[in-house]
Amino acid sequence: MIEHFDAIVIGAGQAGGPLAGAFAQSGCRTALVEAVHMGGTCINEGCTPTKTMVASARAAYLVRRAADFGVQIGAVSVDFSFIRQRKDDIVTTWRTGSERHLQADGVELLMGFAQFVDPQTVVVACNNGETRYLQASTIVINTGARPRIPDLPGLEHVPFLDSTSIMELERLPEHLVILGGGYIGLEFGQMFRRFGSQVTIVQRGERLLTREDADVAEAVATILREDGITLFLNSSARQVERTDENGIRLTVETPDGERVIDGSHLLVAVGRMPNSERLNLAAAGVTTDRQGYIIVDDRLATNVPGIYAVGDVVGVPAFTHVSYDDYRILKANLLEGANRTRRNRLVPYTVFIDPQLGRVGLSEEAARAEGRDITVFTLPMSSVARAITTGETRGFMKAVVDAHTDQILGFAMLGVDGGEIMSAVQLAVQGGLTATDLHNSIFAHPTLAESLNNLFAR
């Protein structure tokens, strides 16, 4: 029997959940199908749990630095089981809260996997064993992405970790080896180093964080090395095997020749891939790119009328705040008669290493590649009064400014609370303020924000 709805949302992530609630609140009969748990990656395996653990790692780091501030303490130890439980408790609170809100909105929640039967019909294999057929003229796909597993010889015989399973470890790794020098690999690498693990990162590219300017990436590498992390850049993993001690042995081709790295655990963090292959998109006629990401237009519509896709399943930039903005676009267009698009939206992000890396707009390299005439401003954190007084002088600020209009094209801050100061600059950009405006602004002293006066000094 086919059940008729006004809207079906597949996936309860940071776009799908709020959108289902908005549909239901508007009077639409709405079904929300979720395969695993409410809240999507952000609440369950991404932002919430990782940043909770990052906070514990930073606390351990600061305690070990107590003598730098004239505070004498004893030996520092980490209760990893407590850290895990704290993370789990916070995740559970957010997840159950999300579910309660959806139920209060009148959304019908179905736990299971959905597949298309035709452009307006999906079949749901429910986790309780039921099979249900749902039909609606509006269907939104928000199935997200998952860690990508590389084609590495021997990996199928090694109990490797990904960004989800590493947070479920019951004990600290003695030596954590990480494949991948992107955001995920660096956050976990520094975190576990601060918890007490030996950490080695293997990065295929010539530098970490390949989307960043070379000077930013090099500064990040310097900080991680200062924290005691071993980096192999421009290096490729050739094979991996288990050792007799139940550890792992990774063979790596480096610029200096072949190296063998023995570790206790292996984290694979080489990127993500879309959760689209189980949807039977062919039955609906929905097109994807070669990697499986669903192709949408600037209004998040697929090639099939009535079917939309949002969040990570449509590709980069794969950030929670982008997914949430996708929700706002569809809510405005489908329920409020608006005509919003994702074209030219300014997308900020923060990498939660310590110090944080916050960036918005164009990098220097991207601006030069576009042939723009730019002025680049930099300021080391060692010249920032607030950073000096708090003992947080690692990193620097960097701004890319149009040489003719004085408009700020991009900003990056590798420094304490870098994401927060980046957000202030983002607001300035959105408000049309120039570099000179920020240079001449009065900021409270002594704050990190006042450093913008000095950054834009000519």
Side-chain angles (χ1 to χ4, degrees):
M1 182 178 68
I2 295 179
E3 303 173 66
H4 295 276
F5 290 83
D6 297 302
I8 299 169
V9 179
I10 305 173
Q14 295 303 295
L19 190 59
F23 278 133
Q25 288 177 1
S26 72
C28 298
R29 187 186 181 199
T30 306
L32 175 59
V33 184
E34 169 56 44
V36 185
H37 36 219
M38 297 296 161
T41 297
C42 177
I43 289 178
N44 296 286
E45 297 101 17
C47 313
T48 300
T50 58
K51 279 49 180 179
T52 300
M53 296 179 74
V54 163
S56 294
R58 175 164 167 78
Y61 166 73
L62 290 175
V63 171
R64 292 189 181 100
R65 288 190 60 205
D68 295 345
F69 303 92
V71 178
Q72 303 301 319
I73 59 172
V76 177
S77 63
V78 169
D79 185 346
F80 191 60
S81 62
F82 179 90
I83 292 170
R84 251 194 67 180
Q85 188 60 56
R86 178 174 180 270
K87 176 263 297 181
D88 291 343
D89 290 344
I90 292 175
V91 167
T92 299
T93 298
W94 279 96
R95 181 192 299 161
T96 55
S98 175
E99 187 169 345
R100 282 198 305 270
H101 282 300
L102 289 167
Q103 291 173 333
D105 289 338
V107 177
E108 183 166 346
L109 306 179
L110 287 77
M111 300 302 298
F113 282 94
Q115 287 188 324
F116 280 92
V117 176
D118 60 46
Q120 295 189 339
T121 309
V122 298
V123 57
V124 182
C126 298
N127 295 346
N128 63 7
E130 292 182 328
T131 299
R132 296 174 64 175
Y133 287 83
L134 316 180
Q135 193 170 80
S137 58
T138 299
I139 299 177
V140 180
I141 304 169
N142 182 217
T143 49
R146 64 186 186 279
R148 181 172 66 84
I149 307 305
D151 184 16
L152 175 63
L155 190 62
E156 68 275 17
H157 304 300
V158 172
F160 65 90
L161 303 166
D162 60 24
S163 57
T164 299
S165 59
I166 191 171
M167 292 187 288
E168 303 307 317
L169 290 174
E170 296 184 355
R171 63 180 180 85
L172 280 175
E174 179 180 344
H175 181 187
L176 177 64
V177 180
I178 301 175
L179 283 184
Y183 310 139
I184 293 174
L186 299 195
E187 287 185 12
F188 278 116
Q190 188 184 54
M191 176 199 304
F192 276 91
R193 178 60 188 151
R194 290 179 168 185
F195 286 154
S197 301
Q198 180 182 348
V199 175
T200 299
I201 297 176
V202 178
Q203 166 71 340
R204 179 185 293 271
E206 295 182 356
R207 64 194 191 211
L208 304 172
L209 303 176
T210 54
R211 291 176 56 185
E212 309 303 328
D213 284 333
D215 54 352
V216 174
E218 181 55 37
V220 170
T222 297
I223 288 170
L224 295 178
R225 290 187 178 107
E226 290 174 353
D227 284 0
I229 295 174
T230 300
L231 302 178
F232 286 95
L233 303 181
N234 199 23
S235 301
S236 300
R238 294 305 185 196
Q239 67 175 29
V240 64
E241 58 185 328
R242 298 186 68 165
T243 64
D244 293 339
E245 296 78 18
N246 292 321
I248 62 97
R249 177 166 293 151
L250 184 69
T251 302
V252 179
E253 189 64 37
T254 78
D256 299 321
E258 188 174 277
R259 293 286 299 272
V260 175
I261 305 171
D262 287 321
S264 60
H265 295 74
L266 176 67
L267 168 63
V268 175
V270 295
R272 296 177 68 80
M273 59 186 296
N275 293 322
S276 60
E277 75 281 0
R278 295 187 61 171
L279 291 169
N280 192 24
L281 293 173
V286 174
T287 58
T288 66
D289 65 14
R290 295 180 61 182
Q291 295 177 293
Y293 290 103
I294 297 175
I295 299 172
V296 295
D297 64 16
D298 286 333
R299 292 167 181 78
L300 301 168
T302 69
N303 63 302
V304 179
I307 300 180
Y308 303 84
V310 291
D312 295 359
V313 77
V314 304
V316 295
F319 300 123
T320 292
H321 42 286
V322 171
S323 184
Y324 190 77
D325 191 57
D326 288 352
Y327 143 69
R328 292 186 295 196
I329 290 172
L330 282 191
K331 177 176 179 287
N333 294 350
L334 299 181
L335 296 176
E336 300 166 5
N339 190 28
R340 284 192 56 181
T341 78
R342 60 177 183 159
R343 188 184 307 119
N344 298 325
R345 60 183 173 186
L346 191 61
V347 178
Y349 58 88
T350 300
V351 185
F352 286 86
I353 53 175
D354 183 28
Q356 294 174 9
L357 171 60
R359 186 159 78 80
V360 66
L362 291 176
S363 66
E364 177 186 356
E365 293 174 7
R368 295 195 187 283
E370 292 182 5
R372 293 176 180 262
D373 188 6
I374 60 174
T375 303
V376 178
F377 297 87
T378 61
L379 180 69
M381 293 303 292
S382 58
S383 296
V384 176
R386 180 64 177 170
I388 293 170
T389 58
T390 58
E392 300 277 4
T393 57
R394 300 198 293 182
F396 70 106
M397 298 181 180
K398 180 177 184 178
V400 179
V401 177
D402 188 291
H404 302 288
T405 67
D406 202 35
Q407 293 294 319
I408 303 168
L409 302 177
F411 175 80
M413 178 171 169
L414 175 63
V416 58
D417 288 332
E420 307 300 331
I421 303 304
M422 175 273 293
S423 297
V425 176
Q426 176 192 347
L427 290 176
V429 172
Q430 292 179 195
L433 298 181
T434 65
T436 301
D437 289 329
L438 290 185
H439 172 61
N440 292 330
S441 294
I442 300 175
F443 296 97
H445 175 79
T447 63
L448 291 168
E450 73 170 341
S451 60
L452 297 174
N453 290 147
N454 295 329
L455 172 65
F456 292 111
R458 297 179 186 270

